[in-house]
Amino acid sequence: MANREAGADFTPDTPSDGASLAKTFVAAGLWQLQAEGVLELADLVQAYVPNYPHGGTRLSHLLEHSAGISELDDASGLSNAEVVAAMGSEPAFTPGSRFSYCNECFDVLALVAERVSGQPWPLFLEERFFGPLGMDSAFVRPAFLQDWEGVRTKGYRVEDGEVVAHDVYDNEPFYGSSNAYLSARDLAAWGTAFVQTEVLPAAVLAQGEQKAEFASGGVSALNRLNWFQVAPGRPAYFDGHLRGFHSVLYWDPSTGLVVAWVSNTLGARPVEVQLTRELVRIAEGGEDLGLPRFSGTGLQAEVPPSAVEGAFFHPALGDVSVRWMDGTIGVSLNDGSERPGYPATGYYVPDLGVEIGFLDLRANRLSTLHWLTVFDSVAATLHGG
Protein backbone atom coordinates (compact mmCIF):
# COMPACT_ATOMS: atom_id res chain seq x y z
CA MET A 1 0.00 0.00 0.00
CA ALA A 2 1.19 3.52 -0.79
CA ASN A 3 -0.84 4.84 2.14
CA ARG A 4 -2.38 2.22 4.39
CA GLU A 5 -4.54 4.68 6.29
CA ALA A 6 -6.10 5.99 3.06
CA GLY A 7 -6.30 2.55 1.43
CA ALA A 8 -4.19 3.76 -1.52
CA ASP A 9 -2.56 1.10 -3.68
CA PHE A 10 1.09 1.25 -4.72
CA THR A 11 1.36 1.17 -8.54
CA PRO A 12 4.13 1.75 -11.10
CA ASP A 13 2.98 5.40 -11.22
CA THR A 14 3.01 6.01 -7.47
CA PRO A 15 5.54 8.74 -6.56
CA SER A 16 7.94 7.57 -3.88
CA ASP A 17 10.77 9.29 -2.02
CA GLY A 18 13.80 8.84 -4.28
CA ALA A 19 16.23 9.91 -1.52
CA SER A 20 19.77 10.11 -2.93
CA LEU A 21 18.72 9.37 -6.50
CA ALA A 22 17.98 13.11 -6.56
CA LYS A 23 21.74 13.61 -6.82
CA THR A 24 21.79 12.15 -10.33
CA PHE A 25 19.53 14.98 -11.51
CA VAL A 26 21.78 17.61 -9.93
CA ALA A 27 24.85 16.13 -11.61
CA ALA A 28 23.14 15.94 -15.01
CA GLY A 29 21.92 19.53 -14.65
CA LEU A 30 25.44 20.81 -13.88
CA TRP A 31 26.89 18.99 -16.88
CA GLN A 32 24.15 20.49 -19.07
CA LEU A 33 24.92 23.99 -17.79
CA GLN A 34 28.61 23.51 -18.54
CA ALA A 35 27.80 22.27 -22.05
CA GLU A 36 25.71 25.43 -22.53
CA GLY A 37 28.70 27.56 -21.54
CA VAL A 38 27.10 29.26 -18.52
CA LEU A 39 29.49 27.76 -15.95
CA GLU A 40 32.60 25.63 -15.70
CA LEU A 41 32.90 22.78 -13.25
CA ALA A 42 36.41 24.05 -12.52
CA ASP A 43 34.97 27.36 -11.26
CA LEU A 44 35.21 28.27 -7.58
CA VAL A 45 31.97 27.78 -5.67
CA GLN A 46 32.26 31.32 -4.29
CA ALA A 47 31.81 32.68 -7.82
CA TYR A 48 28.15 31.63 -7.53
CA VAL A 49 27.63 31.39 -3.77
CA PRO A 50 29.76 34.22 -2.30
CA ASN A 51 29.14 33.22 1.33
CA TYR A 52 30.30 29.63 0.77
CA PRO A 53 32.88 29.36 3.56
CA HIS A 54 35.69 27.37 1.87
CA GLY A 55 37.58 29.56 -0.56
CA GLY A 56 39.47 26.91 -2.53
CA THR A 57 36.51 24.66 -3.27
CA ARG A 58 35.47 24.18 -6.89
CA LEU A 59 32.16 22.99 -8.30
CA SER A 60 33.89 19.79 -9.37
CA HIS A 61 34.84 19.08 -5.74
CA LEU A 62 31.19 19.24 -4.75
CA LEU A 63 30.18 17.04 -7.68
CA GLU A 64 32.84 14.43 -6.86
CA HIS A 65 32.10 14.23 -3.10
CA SER A 66 35.56 15.61 -2.35
CA ALA A 67 34.76 19.05 -0.88
CA GLY A 68 35.48 18.13 2.74
CA ILE A 69 32.12 19.39 4.02
CA SER A 70 31.33 18.04 7.47
CA GLU A 71 27.81 16.63 7.55
CA LEU A 72 25.35 18.79 9.48
CA ASP A 73 23.93 17.14 12.58
CA ASP A 74 20.43 18.18 11.59
CA ALA A 75 19.34 20.03 8.44
CA SER A 76 15.67 20.14 9.44
CA GLY A 77 14.08 23.48 8.69
CA LEU A 78 17.02 24.72 6.60
CA SER A 79 16.74 26.00 3.05
CA ASN A 80 19.64 25.43 0.66
CA ALA A 81 21.01 28.91 1.40
CA GLU A 82 20.70 28.24 5.13
CA VAL A 83 22.57 24.95 4.70
CA VAL A 84 25.50 26.99 3.35
CA ALA A 85 25.28 29.43 6.26
CA ALA A 86 25.35 26.56 8.75
CA MET A 87 28.60 25.07 7.43
CA GLY A 88 31.81 25.14 9.42
CA SER A 89 34.48 27.67 8.55
CA GLU A 90 37.07 25.08 7.54
CA PRO A 91 36.76 21.94 5.41
CA ALA A 92 37.37 18.60 7.10
CA PHE A 93 40.16 17.94 4.58
CA THR A 94 41.75 19.66 1.60
CA PRO A 95 39.13 19.80 -1.18
CA GLY A 96 39.96 17.42 -3.98
CA SER A 97 42.23 15.25 -1.86
CA ARG A 98 39.87 12.34 -1.20
CA PHE A 99 36.30 11.04 -1.36
CA SER A 100 33.77 11.45 1.44
CA TYR A 101 30.11 10.90 0.59
CA CYS A 102 28.46 14.31 0.84
CA ASN A 103 24.79 15.27 0.95
CA GLU A 104 25.31 18.99 1.51
CA CYS A 105 27.53 19.16 -1.60
CA PHE A 106 24.49 18.55 -3.76
CA ASP A 107 22.31 21.03 -1.89
CA VAL A 108 24.93 23.66 -2.75
CA LEU A 109 25.05 22.54 -6.39
CA ALA A 110 21.25 22.82 -6.69
CA LEU A 111 21.56 26.36 -5.35
CA VAL A 112 24.22 27.10 -7.98
CA ALA A 113 21.97 25.74 -10.73
CA GLU A 114 19.12 27.97 -9.55
CA ARG A 115 21.29 31.08 -9.56
CA VAL A 116 22.82 30.36 -12.96
CA SER A 117 19.53 29.44 -14.65
CA GLY A 118 17.34 31.95 -12.85
CA GLN A 119 14.82 29.17 -12.18
CA PRO A 120 13.65 27.70 -8.88
CA TRP A 121 14.77 24.09 -8.55
CA PRO A 122 11.34 22.47 -9.15
CA LEU A 123 10.94 24.43 -12.42
CA PHE A 124 14.56 23.64 -13.44
CA LEU A 125 13.83 19.92 -13.11
CA GLU A 126 10.43 20.13 -14.79
CA GLU A 127 11.67 22.00 -17.86
CA ARG A 128 14.89 20.05 -18.37
CA PHE A 129 14.02 16.53 -17.29
CA PHE A 130 10.58 15.72 -15.91
CA GLY A 131 8.52 17.28 -18.72
CA PRO A 132 10.63 16.36 -21.78
CA LEU A 133 11.15 12.77 -20.62
CA GLY A 134 7.51 12.12 -19.69
CA MET A 135 8.20 11.74 -15.98
CA ASP A 136 4.63 12.62 -15.17
CA SER A 137 4.61 11.58 -11.49
CA ALA A 138 7.89 13.29 -10.51
CA PHE A 139 8.05 16.37 -8.29
CA VAL A 140 10.07 18.08 -5.57
CA ARG A 141 8.33 17.54 -2.24
CA PRO A 142 6.92 20.43 -0.22
CA ALA A 143 8.82 21.21 2.97
CA PHE A 144 5.83 20.51 5.20
CA LEU A 145 3.83 17.31 5.07
CA GLN A 146 0.61 19.23 5.62
CA ASP A 147 1.12 20.99 2.26
CA TRP A 148 1.03 17.77 0.24
CA GLU A 149 -1.50 17.67 -2.58
CA GLY A 150 -3.53 14.49 -2.82
CA VAL A 151 -2.72 11.23 -1.03
CA ARG A 152 0.87 11.11 0.20
CA THR A 153 2.96 7.96 -0.17
CA LYS A 154 4.07 7.01 3.34
CA GLY A 155 7.03 5.00 4.53
CA TYR A 156 6.77 1.82 6.63
CA ARG A 157 8.77 -1.06 8.03
CA VAL A 158 7.95 -4.47 9.46
CA GLU A 159 8.48 -5.02 13.20
CA ASP A 160 7.61 -8.37 14.78
CA GLY A 161 5.45 -9.22 11.79
CA GLU A 162 3.51 -5.95 11.93
CA VAL A 163 3.71 -3.06 9.44
CA VAL A 164 4.46 0.17 11.32
CA ALA A 165 5.20 3.75 10.27
CA HIS A 166 8.76 4.57 9.26
CA ASP A 167 8.05 7.80 7.45
CA VAL A 168 10.04 10.75 6.08
CA TYR A 169 10.77 13.83 8.15
CA ASP A 170 8.63 16.95 8.28
CA ASN A 171 9.99 20.46 7.60
CA GLU A 172 12.65 19.72 4.98
CA PRO A 173 12.89 22.75 2.68
CA PHE A 174 16.28 21.78 1.21
CA TYR A 175 16.67 19.84 -2.05
CA GLY A 176 19.37 18.52 -4.36
CA SER A 177 20.75 15.83 -2.09
CA SER A 178 17.26 14.33 -1.76
CA ASN A 179 13.55 15.24 -1.61
CA ALA A 180 12.63 14.37 -5.21
CA TYR A 181 9.63 12.04 -5.53
CA LEU A 182 9.74 9.56 -8.40
CA SER A 183 7.66 6.58 -9.48
CA ALA A 184 9.04 3.35 -10.87
CA ARG A 185 7.92 4.47 -14.32
CA ASP A 186 9.64 7.85 -13.83
CA LEU A 187 12.89 6.10 -12.93
CA ALA A 188 12.59 3.81 -15.94
CA ALA A 189 12.24 6.90 -18.16
CA TRP A 190 15.31 8.47 -16.52
CA GLY A 191 17.40 5.37 -17.17
CA THR A 192 16.13 5.07 -20.75
CA ALA A 193 17.09 8.69 -21.37
CA PHE A 194 20.68 7.92 -20.37
CA VAL A 195 20.78 4.81 -22.57
CA GLN A 196 19.48 6.82 -25.54
CA THR A 197 21.75 9.85 -24.79
CA GLU A 198 18.73 12.12 -24.36
CA VAL A 199 20.01 13.61 -21.10
CA LEU A 200 23.43 14.63 -22.41
CA PRO A 201 25.12 14.53 -25.82
CA ALA A 202 27.33 11.47 -26.26
CA ALA A 203 30.58 13.45 -25.91
CA VAL A 204 29.42 15.10 -22.67
CA LEU A 205 28.09 11.81 -21.31
CA ALA A 206 31.50 10.24 -21.98
CA GLN A 207 33.14 12.97 -19.89
CA GLY A 208 30.66 12.46 -17.07
CA GLU A 209 31.27 8.73 -17.06
CA GLN A 210 34.90 9.29 -16.07
CA LYS A 211 35.82 8.80 -12.42
CA ALA A 212 37.51 11.45 -10.33
CA GLU A 213 41.12 10.88 -9.30
CA PHE A 214 42.09 12.41 -5.97
CA ALA A 215 45.28 13.98 -4.69
CA SER A 216 45.59 11.12 -2.20
CA GLY A 217 45.97 8.73 -5.12
CA GLY A 218 42.52 7.20 -4.79
CA VAL A 219 39.91 6.87 -7.51
CA SER A 220 36.21 7.43 -6.88
CA ALA A 221 33.79 4.49 -7.01
CA LEU A 222 31.21 6.91 -8.46
CA ASN A 223 31.57 8.49 -11.87
CA ARG A 224 31.22 12.25 -12.28
CA LEU A 225 27.49 11.90 -12.99
CA ASN A 226 27.01 10.21 -9.60
CA TRP A 227 26.50 6.66 -10.84
CA PHE A 228 28.29 3.52 -9.73
CA GLN A 229 29.87 2.20 -12.91
CA VAL A 230 32.87 -0.07 -13.40
CA ALA A 231 33.97 1.74 -16.58
CA PRO A 232 32.47 4.05 -19.24
CA GLY A 233 29.97 2.28 -21.45
CA ARG A 234 29.34 -0.43 -18.85
CA PRO A 235 26.19 -0.88 -16.72
CA ALA A 236 25.52 1.87 -14.19
CA TYR A 237 23.30 2.12 -11.14
CA PHE A 238 22.49 4.23 -8.13
CA ASP A 239 19.99 3.92 -5.33
CA GLY A 240 18.20 6.03 -2.77
CA HIS A 241 17.53 4.91 0.78
CA LEU A 242 15.67 6.94 3.42
CA ARG A 243 13.61 5.68 6.34
CA GLY A 244 11.05 3.26 4.83
CA PHE A 245 11.85 4.16 1.23
CA HIS A 246 14.24 2.50 -1.20
CA SER A 247 14.63 3.17 -4.93
CA VAL A 248 16.99 1.65 -7.48
CA LEU A 249 17.82 2.48 -11.08
CA TYR A 250 20.10 0.31 -13.24
CA TRP A 251 20.85 1.03 -16.91
CA ASP A 252 23.14 -0.68 -19.40
CA PRO A 253 24.20 1.46 -22.39
CA SER A 254 25.53 -1.59 -24.25
CA THR A 255 22.22 -3.48 -24.28
CA GLY A 256 19.61 -0.80 -23.57
CA LEU A 257 18.39 -2.69 -20.51
CA VAL A 258 16.84 -0.54 -17.78
CA VAL A 259 15.67 -1.90 -14.41
CA ALA A 260 13.86 0.39 -11.95
CA TRP A 261 12.03 -0.41 -8.76
CA VAL A 262 10.82 1.45 -5.69
CA SER A 263 9.53 0.44 -2.27
CA ASN A 264 8.03 2.25 0.69
CA THR A 265 8.49 -0.64 3.13
CA LEU A 266 12.00 -0.86 4.52
CA GLY A 267 13.92 -4.04 3.87
CA ALA A 268 17.50 -4.98 4.60
CA ARG A 269 19.93 -3.26 2.23
CA PRO A 270 21.64 -6.49 1.11
CA VAL A 271 18.28 -8.01 0.19
CA GLU A 272 17.58 -4.97 -1.97
CA VAL A 273 20.94 -5.33 -3.72
CA GLN A 274 20.28 -9.02 -4.34
CA LEU A 275 16.79 -8.24 -5.67
CA THR A 276 18.28 -5.81 -8.19
CA ARG A 277 20.83 -8.42 -9.29
CA GLU A 278 18.10 -11.00 -9.81
CA LEU A 279 15.82 -8.59 -11.70
CA VAL A 280 18.69 -7.78 -14.05
CA ARG A 281 19.36 -11.48 -14.53
CA ILE A 282 15.70 -12.20 -15.33
CA ALA A 283 15.52 -9.24 -17.72
CA GLU A 284 18.57 -10.60 -19.53
CA GLY A 285 16.74 -13.89 -20.05
CA GLY A 286 18.28 -15.87 -17.24
CA GLU A 287 16.84 -17.54 -14.19
CA ASP A 288 17.33 -16.83 -10.50
CA LEU A 289 21.03 -16.33 -9.86
CA GLY A 290 21.05 -19.00 -7.21
CA LEU A 291 23.82 -17.26 -5.29
CA PRO A 292 24.16 -17.61 -1.52
CA ARG A 293 22.16 -15.03 0.37
CA PHE A 294 24.04 -12.25 2.06
CA SER A 295 26.14 -13.31 5.03
CA GLY A 296 25.50 -10.64 7.62
CA THR A 297 26.80 -10.03 11.10
CA GLY A 298 25.02 -12.71 13.13
CA LEU A 299 28.28 -14.40 14.04
CA GLN A 300 29.68 -11.20 15.47
CA ALA A 301 27.51 -11.49 18.57
CA GLU A 302 29.63 -14.49 19.49
CA VAL A 303 33.10 -13.10 18.72
CA PRO A 304 35.16 -10.03 19.67
CA PRO A 305 35.34 -7.09 17.25
CA SER A 306 38.89 -8.09 16.36
CA ALA A 307 37.45 -11.19 14.65
CA VAL A 308 36.47 -9.10 11.60
CA GLU A 309 39.91 -7.56 11.17
CA GLY A 310 42.37 -8.74 8.57
CA ALA A 311 43.43 -8.68 4.94
CA PHE A 312 41.10 -10.56 2.60
CA PHE A 313 41.82 -11.45 -1.01
CA HIS A 314 39.19 -10.41 -3.56
CA PRO A 315 39.86 -12.16 -6.90
CA ALA A 316 39.02 -9.05 -8.95
CA LEU A 317 39.98 -6.16 -6.66
CA GLY A 318 42.99 -7.53 -4.82
CA ASP A 319 43.52 -7.00 -1.11
CA VAL A 320 40.60 -5.80 1.02
CA SER A 321 41.84 -4.69 4.44
CA VAL A 322 39.37 -4.41 7.33
CA ARG A 323 39.99 -2.64 10.62
CA TRP A 324 37.65 -2.28 13.60
CA MET A 325 37.12 1.38 14.47
CA ASP A 326 34.72 3.00 16.94
CA GLY A 327 31.94 0.45 16.70
CA THR A 328 32.15 -0.13 12.96
CA ILE A 329 34.70 -1.08 10.32
CA GLY A 330 37.15 0.76 8.10
CA VAL A 331 37.80 -0.75 4.66
CA SER A 332 40.66 -0.08 2.27
CA LEU A 333 41.58 -1.59 -1.08
CA ASN A 334 45.21 -2.43 -1.79
CA ASP A 335 46.40 -0.20 1.08
CA GLY A 336 44.58 2.83 -0.30
CA SER A 337 42.35 5.27 1.56
CA GLU A 338 40.29 3.82 4.39
CA ARG A 339 36.53 4.07 3.87
CA PRO A 340 34.07 3.85 6.78
CA GLY A 341 31.36 1.20 6.91
CA TYR A 342 28.04 1.67 8.64
CA PRO A 343 26.32 -1.14 10.58
CA ALA A 344 23.24 -2.51 8.86
CA THR A 345 22.43 -6.15 8.20
CA GLY A 346 26.15 -6.32 7.59
CA TYR A 347 28.13 -3.15 6.95
CA TYR A 348 27.36 -0.70 4.17
CA VAL A 349 30.35 1.20 2.74
CA PRO A 350 28.83 4.04 0.68
CA ASP A 351 32.19 5.22 -0.67
CA LEU A 352 32.47 1.87 -2.47
CA GLY A 353 28.78 1.07 -2.93
CA VAL A 354 29.28 -2.31 -1.25
CA GLU A 355 27.58 -4.42 1.38
CA ILE A 356 30.08 -6.36 3.51
CA GLY A 357 29.34 -9.36 5.68
CA PHE A 358 31.45 -12.06 7.32
CA LEU A 359 31.18 -15.80 7.77
CA ASP A 360 33.22 -18.94 8.54
CA LEU A 361 34.26 -18.58 12.16
CA ARG A 362 37.59 -20.32 12.68
CA ALA A 363 39.82 -19.95 15.73
CA ASN A 364 37.99 -16.76 16.75
CA ARG A 365 38.44 -15.22 13.29
CA LEU A 366 35.85 -14.68 10.58
CA SER A 367 37.78 -16.10 7.67
CA THR A 368 35.54 -15.11 4.73
CA LEU A 369 34.30 -11.68 3.70
CA HIS A 370 31.16 -11.46 1.54
CA TRP A 371 31.50 -8.55 -0.92
CA LEU A 372 28.09 -7.74 -2.43
CA THR A 373 27.27 -5.06 -5.01
CA VAL A 374 24.77 -4.86 -7.83
CA PHE A 375 27.62 -5.91 -10.12
CA ASP A 376 29.08 -8.84 -8.22
CA SER A 377 28.80 -11.19 -5.24
CA VAL A 378 32.20 -12.47 -4.18
CA ALA A 379 33.63 -14.44 -1.28
CA ALA A 380 37.00 -12.95 -0.29
CA THR A 381 39.19 -15.17 1.87
CA LEU A 382 41.39 -14.13 4.75
CA HIS A 383 45.10 -14.26 3.97
CA GLY A 384 46.47 -17.21 5.88
CA GLY A 385 42.96 -18.13 7.06
Side-chain angles (χ1 to χ4, degrees):
M1 305 296 289
N3 186 312
R4 297 175 70 85
E5 294 79 4
D9 290 334
F10 205 118
T11 78
D13 295 301
T14 297
S16 181
D17 196 307
S20 284
L21 269 163
K23 295 179 175 69
T24 64
F25 293 90
V26 176
L30 267 289
W31 278 97
Q32 281 191 353
L33 291 170
Q34 175 171 268
E36 293 163 10
V38 296
L39 58 72
E40 292 290 334
L41 294 176
D43 291 343
L44 293 173
V45 178
Q46 288 182 345
Y48 306 95
V49 186
N51 66 325
Y52 184 83
H54 309 153
T57 304
R58 303 184 183 279
L59 297 179
S60 59
H61 296 148
L62 298 175
L63 195 64
E64 296 162 1
H65 297 268
S66 68
I69 296 175
S70 297
E71 292 282 306
L72 299 179
D73 291 334
D74 184 5
S76 298
L78 300 182
S79 67
N80 289 46
E82 289 168 335
V83 166
V84 174
M87 290 178 184
S89 59
E90 297 293 334
F93 53 83
T94 302
S97 64
R98 64 181 180 87
F99 183 102
S100 181
Y101 190 84
C102 179
N103 287 304
E104 284 80 2
C105 290
F106 284 76
D107 298 328
V108 178
L109 287 173
L111 183 62
V112 169
E114 285 186 315
R115 293 182 176 181
V116 167
S117 67
Q119 295 177 308
W121 186 241
L123 181 60
F124 182 93
L125 292 181
E126 178 62 34
E127 292 198 352
R128 288 178 177 264
F129 304 130
F130 297 167
L133 299 178
M135 301 173 66
D136 298 330
S137 304
F139 61 92
V140 176
R141 62 158 279 185
F144 294 99
L145 302 183
Q146 67 183 23
D147 294 333
W148 225 274
E149 294 184 5
V151 177
R152 180 172 69 84
T153 307
K154 293 186 176 183
Y156 303 94
R157 65 182 171 191
V158 178
E159 291 184 357
D160 300 324
E162 297 292 329
V163 177
V164 299
H166 193 47
D167 208 0
V168 295
Y169 303 103
D170 204 356
N171 191 14
E172 287 203 346
F174 59 87
Y175 39 77
S177 61
S178 59
N179 288 335
Y181 270 61
L182 308 152
S183 69
R185 209 182 305 276
D186 291 331
L187 283 177
W190 186 228
T192 300
F194 274 95
V195 165
Q196 298 178 351
T197 62
E198 295 176 336
V199 178
L200 296 166
V204 178
L205 178 61
Q207 287 181 286
E209 286 187 309
Q210 300 298 318
K211 294 181 180 180
E213 297 183 5
F214 305 117
S216 63
V219 178
S220 177
L222 288 166
N223 67 23
R224 301 180 77 210
L225 280 160
N226 209 74
W227 297 95
F228 289 112
Q229 188 178 37
V230 174
R234 299 284 300 278
Y237 88 95
F238 199 62
D239 64 0
H241 193 86
L242 176 67
R243 305 286 283 174
F245 292 91
H246 194 86
S247 303
V248 175
L249 177 57
Y250 170 104
W251 51 276
D252 185 345
S254 65
T255 65
L257 174 63
V258 176
V259 173
W261 67 269
V262 302
S263 172
N264 68 333
T265 305
L266 176 70
R269 285 194 59 97
V271 174
E272 293 155 348
V273 173
Q274 188 69 21
L275 173 59
T276 304
R277 289 174 56 77
E278 294 184 2
L279 288 171
V280 170
R281 175 72 171 176
I282 291 166
E284 291 175 338
E287 298 179 354
D288 187 296
L289 287 166
L291 294 173
R293 295 299 176 183
F294 182 72
S295 303
T297 58
L299 285 174
Q300 292 176 42
E302 307 167 17
V303 298
S306 59
V308 306
E309 294 189 324
F312 299 81
F313 178 71
H314 187 298
L317 300 175
D319 286 336
V320 179
S321 298
V322 179
R323 182 174 69 91
W324 186 257
M325 46 182 281
D326 299 327
T328 185
I329 60 172
V331 180
S332 58
L333 298 179
N334 300 311
D335 296 325
S337 300
E338 189 171 65
R339 318 294 180 89
Y342 298 93
T345 301
Y347 295 97
Y348 175 53
V349 186
D351 292 10
L352 300 171
V354 62
E355 310 288 337
I356 287 180
F358 299 91
L359 62 159
D360 296 340
L361 180 63
R362 302 180 188 177
N364 235 20
R365 300 294 298 277
L366 292 165
S367 62
T368 304
L369 178 150
H370 189 171
W371 180 280
L372 176 65
T373 75
V374 167
F375 302 129
D376 58 7
S377 178
V378 175
T381 55
L382 183 70
H383 282 299

